[in-house]
Amino acid sequence: MEDDPMPIRVMLVDDQVLLRTGFRMVLAAQPDMEVVAEAGDGVEALQVVRSTAVDVVLMDVRMPKLDGVEATRRICAEPEPPKVLILTTFDLDEYAFSGLKAGASGFMLKDVPPGELLAAIRSVHSGDAVVAPSTTRRLLDRFAPMLPTTGKEPQRKELERLTEREREVMVLVAQGLSNGEIAARLVLSEATVKTHVGRILTKLGLRDRVQVVVLAYETGLVRAGGLG
């Protein structure tokens, strides 16, 4: 790609060699992607991330030694961590929920069509991290009752740093709306919405939209099934 000569460096983490081979074949056919590393468990994944430049990690959840959720948590705690996409077998899976809480930028089903997987990798790499926001919302609706209701006072105080418009945008992001949909709802330009989302991320110290959704639920700004 002329505007982005550097391919997206992808790491595959799965204890099934056959599955990794399948993903590698799909990714290798893309001019803008390169599989730079593989790992068969979470411990190995963490070691590889510390010694290899990786942009996006495709992370299985159920693995020996160290599962994908804990591996995601540790990888996301590294300095300048790669983005993590959780691979799960079930759409509304507690593992996917835990992965998002651990810092993953989204999750995909293992049997996702190749085109959707590739689009998700590109989306996460570009910083949008918009991976099936409606699915993310349904997942949070289902598991939000498991979120702790105490200890979130400092985060609630952080929300006070947002302007009224930024809070409006944050609520709509948490409801799974895209920038275009938010722009239409609030009668703003898409560029303005993107600016607001950027300010929300900066002010709250969040990495991407998925973390915005999780925080909105944790602080009660949005509750399961609707607004807080």
Side-chain angles (χ1 to χ4, degrees):
M1 295 172 67
E2 288 179 22
D3 58 341
D4 187 13
M6 278 286 290
I8 302 170
R9 297 164 298 190
V10 181
M11 176 179 175
L12 306 175
V13 185
D14 198 299
D15 60 338
Q16 297 179 48
V17 178
L18 197 62
L19 215 106
R20 295 206 308 266
T21 302
F23 281 133
R24 187 171 64 244
M25 287 172 66
V26 171
L27 269 55
Q30 304 305 307
D32 61 337
M33 293 185 195
E34 179 186 3
V35 176
V36 294
E38 295 184 32
D41 61 66
V43 172
E44 188 184 352
L46 197 57
Q47 291 169 345
V48 173
V49 161
R50 287 171 176 165
S51 61
T52 308
V54 177
D55 298 313
V56 178
V57 178
L58 292 185
M59 179 76 75
D60 185 28
V61 282
R62 296 174 178 86
M63 293 182 296
K65 295 185 185 176
L66 189 69
D67 68 47
V69 173
E70 184 56 32
T72 296
R73 185 175 290 109
R74 295 186 193 183
I75 286 172
C76 290
E78 291 286 304
E80 297 185 34
K83 300 291 177 63
V84 179
L85 261 176
I86 293 282
L87 294 172
T88 180
T89 313
F90 303 105
D91 190 0
L92 296 181
D93 187 345
E94 190 178 333
Y95 284 98
F97 173 78
S98 300
L100 295 181
K101 288 275 296 154
S105 294
F107 66 95
M108 301 296 292
L109 292 174
K110 278 193 173 184
D111 60 356
V112 67
E116 285 185 34
L117 177 68
L118 296 170
I121 292 170
R122 292 185 182 106
S123 175
V124 165
H125 179 251
S126 71
D128 289 340
V130 185
V131 182
S134 58
T135 306
T136 301
R137 173 83 198 280
R138 290 205 317 277
L139 184 82
L140 283 161
D141 274 349
R142 175 166 172 177
F143 291 107
M146 296 164 50
L147 288 169
T149 52
T150 57
K152 297 299 173 187
E153 287 72 17
Q155 288 175 306
R156 289 193 187 99
K157 292 287 284 184
E158 289 291 301
L159 295 183
E160 293 174 11
R161 300 174 62 191
L162 302 180
T163 64
E164 191 175 335
R165 176 63 89 190
E166 286 164 356
R167 282 174 72 97
E168 268 187 295
V169 171
M170 182 172 177
V171 166
L172 295 175
V173 168
Q175 289 178 304
L177 273 65
S178 67
N179 284 356
E181 290 166 335
I182 294 170
R185 181 79 62 90
L186 299 180
V187 196
L188 298 170
S189 73
E190 204 165 328
T192 300
V193 172
K194 196 167 185 180
T195 299
H196 283 314
V197 172
R199 286 184 183 147
I200 292 165
L201 296 176
T202 301
K203 286 184 179 182
L204 300 180
L206 303 174
R207 195 166 51 249
D208 55 46
R209 296 170 77 101
V210 169
Q211 291 195 330
V212 171
V213 179
V214 172
L215 182 64
Y217 274 77
E218 284 185 326
T219 56
L221 186 64
V222 170
R223 295 213 176 100
L227 297 183

